[in-house]
Amino acid sequence: MSSSFLTASPLPLLFRRRSSGEIRNLASVSSSILPAFGTVVDDGHLQTKGFVVAPYDRRYRWWQTFLVVLVVYSAWASPFELAFKKVATGSLMPVDLVVDAFFAVDIALTFFVAYLDKSTYLLVLDHKKIASRYITKYYFAMDVASTVPFQALHRLFTGHTREGLVFGILNLLRLWRLRRVSELFKRLEKDTRFSYFWVRYFKLICVTLFAVHSAGCFYYWMATHHKASADTWIGTEVNNFEHRSIWLGYTYAIYWATVTLTTVGYGDLHAVNFGEKIFSIFYMLFNIGLFAYLVGNMTNLVVHSAFRTLFMRDSINEIFRYASKNRLPEGLKEQMLAHMQLKFKTAELQQEEVLQDLPKAIRSSIAHHLFRKTIDKTYLFKGISEELTVQLVSEMKAEYFPPKVDIILQNEIPTDFYILVTGALDMLVYKNGTEQFLSTLGSADMVGELGVFFNIPQPFTVRTKRLSQVIRISHQHFKQMIQPQNEDSKIIITNFTQHLKDLKQEVLQEIPFLPELLEELNTEQLGMESNEDARNHEPVDNHGDPIVEGTNKTSAPAPITMRVIIHGHHPNEGDSKGKLIHLPDSIDNLLRLAEKKLEKRGSTIVMADGSVVEELNALRDNDHLFIF
């Protein structure tokens, strides 16, 4: 088995929790494993050899929840069978065997459950490593010891039933299973579908009930093992209590444990012999600690609670209130909710407050380590210099986006473009009031660059298909970096032009004025090449320096001119797509260019709202001008 199959990013296994392969509930990302930044997930990671269970698979989670129900039974039955040994070999014995069988199945299943390597944050899928890790830890020995039915095996091999102290103490090993309950409460406390206050409150109640139950059962066990039953705490009240109803003795035991825990102490039941007095002393000292634990936790819940968790919940409640007040649609409200939950979930991975305190060189090295491979695979940057690559990687900002969230909206002003590290994106377009699917994008694909390069509104809507990790860079930083890099600029334009030619036909049809835009790109590229040739053939003096006559025309790049769309009719007449042109420096030149492009002479220039254009400085990029 290759090393790529032995470890894998947890992301693909996470998405296989549902048969559809998609996360339908946007809030479910709050309980998901997230891949480390820079981890690229390809289809090869989805194929695993042999039977391997993802620890966050939905079916495995349901199995663990079912086992918690059995743990609750074990927590009640183990002390109860110690105190009332008759039930251990009677009515409860078949139930114990069934429960032990389920936990035996779980032990076998654990040998096939992948685990998360804490050093690499990758799921280990190798069966040998999984088994070695489980067997070498004390968990395995305790799981086996708490599952073996010692009393049933003794009865099977000897042929008779024995009610001894040893079996009662061995049954207490089942309390080891209580760790599952603790893990369940940790998950519930982080699940926003449940009230944090009531989850914690229910946990405190469970702790109190278990303490009362265990103390009462052990206290009753001490009475049954005293040499004189009348000289015990219950023997003074109930004659011949050992032969009375089991539930009568259990009621007395719970009553004593409750009044002692609450420090009421009515005095009707009290320690009589020396052993009971010693146990009562330790029980009351334990109650002091338990009471302090309960009061401290309740105070923390009411006053402080978990600051980060409450802050997250307050932020989510603010979203609900804002969405309700402004009557936002349900889909948009779910996107806001999922983004906020994901923001808190990824805070540990981003660690922005830590990175801000580091020197720029270290931050650049971290970004280079995380995203360099993704940048190299991106079509736009293939073949560029090492210098520009390092600059690009250093300026990249990483983000997570939950499923079904819009990254780019159609017709919005271009400010950034994005590179997908892992996940999947859908490219959509709105036509005639309906949403149409165009294509799906994968790892190392780029979105948003069309609007940035052509300086036009974004032609598509880009939406996450599943939990996605992207890196982005602003168009301002990008232009500043490539402006002095002539060779790299030509490579990037060539890559971009070739990419446009390779696009699907249905995608090309949705890009407005594509022929004019491509013609401009080719013109700019030819201009760059001619300028380069002119510099290469410049006359030089005896010292090898170029001879400068007048103004150096190649010392700075030409300013980027404004582009507008012209139409040859009145705004209220017809509906043409128009022609995309560079705005000339005067109205006369604009009229002459319009006559050339539209093949008709005009004298009046108006905007779409009918206002007359008198100064070109008042125009903006992509304005529609009607000349007639």
Side-chain angles (χ1 to χ4, degrees), residues 18-152:
R18 300 186 181 275
S19 58
S20 64
E22 296 182 0
I23 299 179
R24 297 174 186 171
N25 182 11
L26 294 177
S28 64
V29 296
S30 62
S31 62
S32 304
I33 293 182
L34 296 171
F37 276 140
T39 301
V40 179
V41 182
D42 53 30
D43 294 337
H45 286 88
L46 294 175
Q47 305 297 329
T48 58
K49 295 184 178 180
F51 178 72
V52 176
V53 179
Y56 287 84
D57 187 278
R58 184 182 59 166
R59 293 165 296 181
Y60 184 71
R61 280 286 184 88
W62 277 111
W63 168 256
Q64 293 293 319
T65 304
F66 170 70
L67 291 182
V68 169
V69 178
L70 302 183
V71 170
V72 174
Y73 166 79
S74 298
W76 173 83
S78 297
F80 188 78
E81 291 175 357
L82 175 67
F84 306 95
K85 53 188 177 182
K86 293 181 180 179
V87 297
T89 56
S91 58
L92 292 184
M93 190 171 185
V95 181
D96 291 340
L97 292 176
V98 173
V99 172
D100 290 339
F102 278 109
F103 282 100
V105 172
D106 183 69
I107 292 176
L109 182 62
T110 306
F111 284 93
F112 301 94
V113 178
Y115 68 91
L116 189 67
D117 191 331
K118 297 298 182 181
S119 60
T120 61
Y121 283 91
L122 295 176
L123 285 177
V124 178
L125 309 176
D126 185 9
H127 287 292
K128 293 182 179 179
K129 291 183 178 180
I130 295 173
S132 175
R133 176 178 179 269
Y134 183 43
I135 293 176
T136 54
K137 289 186 174 291
Y138 66 93
Y139 294 108
F140 175 72
M142 292 299 297
D143 285 345
V144 172
S146 61
T147 304
V148 175
F150 295 101
Q151 205 157 7

Side-chain angles (χ1 to χ4, degrees), residues 425-464:
L425 304 175
D426 284 338
M427 187 181 295
L428 312 169
V429 64
Y430 288 92
K431 295 178 65 175
N432 302 323
T434 60
E435 185 178 273
Q436 298 182 10
F437 171 81
L438 293 179
S439 63
T440 298
L441 305 177
S443 177
D445 283 340
M446 179 179 290
V447 293
E449 77 279 14
L450 294 176
V452 171
F453 269 79
F454 292 140
N455 196 25
I456 60 173
Q458 295 289 1
F460 311 111
T461 291
V462 180
R463 181 177 302 161
T464 56

Side-chain angles (χ1 to χ4, degrees), residues 479-593:
K479 289 180 179 179
Q480 290 174 4
M481 283 186 288
I482 67 171
Q483 192 172 20
Q485 307 289 342
N486 292 328
E487 290 296 330
D488 289 328
S489 298
K490 290 190 289 186
I491 293 174
I492 289 175
I493 292 177
T494 302
N495 292 339
F496 182 65
T497 305
Q498 183 61 41
H499 173 72
L500 290 178
K501 296 177 181 178
D502 296 337
L503 287 176
K504 297 180 180 179
Q505 189 62 34
E506 56 268 23
V507 176
L508 292 174
Q509 293 175 354
E510 302 302 329
I511 304 176
F513 317 112
L514 182 60
E516 292 89 343
L517 296 173
L518 282 175
E519 182 180 351
E520 290 180 14
L521 271 182
N522 293 330
T523 303
E524 292 175 5
Q525 187 174 9
L526 290 174
M528 293 172 59
E529 292 176 353
S530 62
N531 289 338
E532 184 69 23
D533 292 339
R535 284 194 295 268
N536 292 338
H537 293 85
E538 267 185 330
V540 296
D541 58 13
N542 295 332
H543 300 285
D545 297 326
I547 299 175
V548 180
E549 297 182 2
T551 304
N552 186 359
K553 297 181 180 180
T554 61
S555 60
I560 299 176
T561 58
M562 192 181 303
R563 291 180 293 195
V564 294
I565 303 166
I566 58 175
H567 305 265
H569 56 81
H570 191 275
N572 298 330
E573 299 175 358
D575 184 18
S576 64
K577 290 186 178 181
K579 298 287 186 177
L580 181 68
I581 64 170
H582 282 291
L583 185 65
D585 55 359
S586 67
I587 291 182
D588 290 337
N589 291 335
L590 175 59
L591 292 174
R592 282 194 290 270
L593 181 60

Side-chain angles (χ1 to χ4, degrees), residues 258-540:
T258 304
V259 297
T260 304
L261 175 65
T262 56
T263 68
V264 175
Y266 293 116
D268 50 350
L269 294 176
H270 57 276
V272 176
N273 57 63
F274 178 78
E276 293 174 352
K277 291 179 180 180
I278 295 296
F279 177 77
S280 297
I281 291 173
F282 281 100
Y283 181 56
M284 286 184 282
L285 292 175
F286 168 78
N287 288 343
I288 294 175
L290 179 61
F291 183 75
Y293 171 77
L294 297 175
V295 172
N297 274 270
M298 290 302 298
T299 303
N300 185 49
L301 285 174
V302 175
V303 181
H304 301 289
S305 188
F307 176 77
R308 177 177 171 79
T309 303
L310 281 184
F311 183 70
M312 179 190 72
R313 298 178 70 91
D314 289 342
S315 300
I316 292 175
N317 290 333
E318 289 291 338
I319 289 177
F320 280 123
R321 285 195 290 268
Y322 180 85
S324 176
K325 182 178 180 180
N326 294 279
R327 299 180 180 179
L328 298 181
E330 190 66 25
L332 186 57
K333 183 173 69 174
E334 288 187 354
Q335 289 188 26
M336 297 167 62
L337 174 63
H339 182 77
M340 182 60 67
Q341 290 179 324
L342 193 61
K343 174 183 176 182
F344 283 93
K345 181 67 178 176
T346 58
E348 294 180 358
L349 291 176
Q350 293 177 342
Q351 291 291 324
E352 294 181 358
E353 65 279 4
V354 176
L355 296 178
Q356 288 176 356
D357 296 333
L358 295 175
K360 184 178 180 180
I362 297 179
R363 296 200 305 268
S364 299
S365 298
I366 294 173
H368 185 84
H369 172 75
L370 295 176
F371 308 123
R372 174 60 186 268
K373 293 181 179 179
T374 302
I375 295 295
D376 290 339
K377 294 179 181 178
T378 305
Y379 81 88
L380 191 64
F381 305 124
K382 289 183 177 179
I384 63 175
S385 64
E386 178 71 16
E387 177 185 357
L388 182 58
T389 302
V390 172
Q391 294 178 20
L392 286 169
V393 173
S394 301
E395 293 294 333
M396 293 290 182
K397 304 296 182 183
E399 289 186 66
Y400 281 107
F401 286 92
K404 308 297 183 184
V405 170
D406 295 335
I407 298 179
I408 295 175
L409 289 176
Q410 185 176 350
N411 295 324
E412 73 173 352
I413 301 300
T415 57
D416 306 274
F417 59 82
Y418 302 81
I419 300 174
L420 182 63
V421 179
T422 186
L425 304 175
D426 284 338
M427 187 181 295
L428 312 169
V429 64
Y430 288 92
K431 295 178 65 175
N432 302 323
T434 60
E435 185 178 273
Q436 298 182 10
F437 171 81
L438 293 179
S439 63
T440 298
L441 305 177
S443 177
D445 283 340
M446 179 179 290
V447 293
E449 77 279 14
L450 294 176
V452 171
F453 269 79
F454 292 140
N455 196 25
I456 60 173
Q458 295 289 1
F460 311 111
T461 291
V462 180
R463 181 177 302 161
T464 56
K465 190 174 183 179
R466 56 176 187 258
L467 180 65
S468 300
Q469 177 192 152
V470 301
I471 50 179
R472 63 177 174 85
I473 185 172
S474 70
H475 72 291
Q476 296 292 349
H477 287 124
F478 178 68
K479 289 180 179 179
Q480 290 174 4
M481 283 186 288
I482 67 171
Q483 192 172 20
Q485 307 289 342
N486 292 328
E487 290 296 330
D488 289 328
S489 298
K490 290 190 289 186
I491 293 174
I492 289 175
I493 292 177
T494 302
N495 292 339
F496 182 65
T497 305
Q498 183 61 41
H499 173 72
L500 290 178
K501 296 177 181 178
D502 296 337
L503 287 176
K504 297 180 180 179
Q505 189 62 34
E506 56 268 23
V507 176
L508 292 174
Q509 293 175 354
E510 302 302 329
I511 304 176
F513 317 112
L514 182 60
E516 292 89 343
L517 296 173
L518 282 175
E519 182 180 351
E520 290 180 14
L521 271 182
N522 293 330
T523 303
E524 292 175 5
Q525 187 174 9
L526 290 174
M528 293 172 59
E529 292 176 353
S530 62
N531 289 338
E532 184 69 23
D533 292 339
R535 284 194 295 268
N536 292 338
H537 293 85
E538 267 185 330
V540 296

Side-chain angles (χ1 to χ4, degrees), residues 212-249:
V212 170
H213 171 73
S214 301
C217 290
F218 190 75
Y219 206 46
Y220 186 87
W221 174 83
M222 291 182 65
T224 59
H225 284 75
H226 194 266
K227 56 184 177 181
S229 59
D231 189 23
T232 60
W233 63 275
I234 190 173
T236 56
E237 295 289 332
V238 182
N239 295 325
N240 200 21
F241 67 90
E242 292 178 296
H243 301 287
R244 302 286 292 273
S245 169
I246 291 176
W247 299 110
L248 176 66

Side-chain angles (χ1 to χ4, degrees), residues 178-239:
L178 285 172
R179 62 186 177 86
R180 298 176 184 270
V181 179
S182 177
E183 294 172 356
L184 174 64
F185 276 114
K186 288 181 180 178
R187 292 202 303 268
L188 293 179
E189 288 171 3
K190 298 177 181 178
D191 197 327
T192 56
R193 294 174 296 179
F194 302 95
S195 169
Y196 179 78
F197 176 86
W198 291 111
V199 170
R200 292 285 295 177
Y201 186 70
F202 183 69
K203 178 182 179 180
L204 297 177
I205 291 177
C206 292
V207 171
T208 304
L209 292 178
F210 178 71
V212 170
H213 171 73
S214 301
C217 290
F218 190 75
Y219 206 46
Y220 186 87
W221 174 83
M222 291 182 65
T224 59
H225 284 75
H226 194 266
K227 56 184 177 181
S229 59
D231 189 23
T232 60
W233 63 275
I234 190 173
T236 56
E237 295 289 332
V238 182
N239 295 325

